[in-house]
Amino acid sequence: MAERSEETLMEKISEKFRGSDSSDSDDDKSKLKPSQSSLKSKINRLFGRERPVHSVLGGGKPADIFLWKDKKASAAVLGGATAIWVLFELMECHLLSLVCHFLIFSLAALFLWSNAATFINKSPPQIPQLSIAEDLAVNIALSLRFEINRLLAVLKEIASGRELKKFLAVIAGLWLLSLIGSSCSFLTLLYAVIVLVHTVPFVYEKYEDKIDFYWEKAVIEIKKQYAVFDAKVLSKIPKGPSKDKKH
């Protein structure tokens, strides 16, 4: 009886997610190698995206850099990040020592230039007045406060025991981050993120139709497997108190 119920459950799940793919079940090669016409048809974009990749990345200069539309700026950012990573990670330079040496050299050069200018009848160096704008500091503080409060609200909702899916996703994400953090330094992780944001969006924009096609197939299969897991395991776990429950 248990085997029969499992077979019935799998049949129901397969019928639920089969959809328009049932007409193509006899032709496996057409699934693996979609034609250009099928790729250009309506496809569910990655993560439900409806706007172009450039707009999703915020548009403007940052999006141009990530998508290599401004090749000089993109190469400068990636090259600078690589130089910093090599300097501090491979050559094992210390940030505090490097900053102090840079300031010593800069202040000594400016001091000598300012005093020597009077003897050689040259104008002293024009040192600009550097300051942080009050509006910029306030906007950064408000944005940081908003993001921290939103994160705390999400953590509170997860800890309350009402969202099992979010709880499992957060636990898996934190566990993955702990593994990555134990295997590499923070600077290496930051450099890897910079390299990814300069490569993944560019590759995706170039091959977005094919990537979205295979992503849709993968999502359907993941939903099938999750439905089985939900029916056999998650549905049997007692849930926490409801939001509407009055104490």
Side-chain angles (χ1 to χ4, degrees):
M1 294 295 292
E3 293 179 355
R4 184 177 299 175
S5 61
E6 289 184 4
E7 292 178 357
T8 304
L9 178 62
M10 290 297 296
E11 290 176 359
K12 291 181 179 179
I13 293 171
S14 298
E15 292 176 357
K16 181 179 180 181
F17 294 104
R18 188 174 299 159
S20 61
D21 296 332
S22 60
S23 60
D24 300 331
S25 60
D26 296 333
D27 193 358
D28 295 334
K29 292 184 179 180
S30 63
K31 288 182 178 180
L32 297 175
K33 296 180 179 180
S35 61
Q36 293 295 329
S37 60
S38 62
L39 288 176
K40 291 181 179 180
S41 61
K42 186 177 181 181
I43 298 175
N44 292 329
R45 295 298 180 183
L46 195 64
F47 304 120
R49 177 179 61 86
E50 296 180 355
R51 296 179 298 166
V53 180
H54 191 273
S55 299
V56 173
L57 294 176
K61 191 69 174 180
D64 292 340
I65 293 175
F66 294 149
L67 296 175
W68 289 81
K69 295 185 180 300
D70 188 348
K71 293 181 173 57
K72 292 183 179 179
S74 300
V77 172
L78 191 58
T82 303
I84 292 174
W85 180 75
V86 170
L87 189 64
F88 291 107
E89 193 67 21
L90 298 184
M91 300 181 64
E92 297 183 351
C93 295
H94 299 285
L95 178 62
L96 183 60
S97 299
L98 186 65
V99 171
C100 289
H101 291 159
F102 174 77
L103 290 176
I104 290 172
F105 175 78
S106 300
L107 292 175
L110 292 173
F111 179 82
L112 293 175
W113 186 4
S114 299
N115 285 275
T118 57
F119 296 100
I120 59 177
N121 296 325
K122 296 288 184 178
S123 60
Q126 300 295 327
I127 303 175
Q129 181 68 32
L130 301 177
S131 62
I132 300 176
E134 182 179 357
D135 294 340
L136 177 62
V138 171
N139 290 334
I140 293 175
L142 291 176
S143 300
L144 185 61
R145 171 181 172 273
F146 174 77
E147 295 298 334
I148 292 176
N149 288 338
R150 188 171 65 171
L151 176 62
L152 293 176
V154 172
L155 294 177
K156 179 183 178 182
E157 183 180 359
I158 293 172
S160 63
R162 292 189 291 264
E163 295 288 343
L164 183 58
K165 294 180 182 179
K166 288 184 179 180
F167 172 76
L168 295 177
V170 169
I171 293 299
L174 292 175
W175 178 72
L176 182 61
L177 282 177
S178 68
L179 292 180
I180 297 174
S182 62
S183 60
C184 64
S185 64
F186 176 75
L187 183 60
T188 300
L189 181 61
L190 181 61
Y191 175 66
V193 171
I194 293 175
V195 173
L196 287 176
V197 298
H198 280 79
T199 53
V200 174
F202 174 75
V203 174
Y204 174 69
E205 187 187 41
K206 189 174 182 180
Y207 304 103
E208 60 177 332
D209 288 337
K210 292 182 179 180
I211 293 174
D212 289 336
F213 179 85
Y214 290 110
W215 169 258
E216 186 177 4
K217 298 294 183 182
V219 167
I220 293 174
E221 185 63 29
I222 291 172
K223 287 182 178 180
K224 287 182 183 180
Q225 300 301 326
Y226 178 80
V228 175
F229 181 71
D230 186 29
K232 292 183 177 180
V233 180
L234 298 183
S235 60
K236 299 178 182 179
I237 299 176
K239 297 182 180 180
S242 175
K243 288 183 180 180
D244 301 331
K245 185 176 180 180
K246 296 182 181 180
H247 300 282

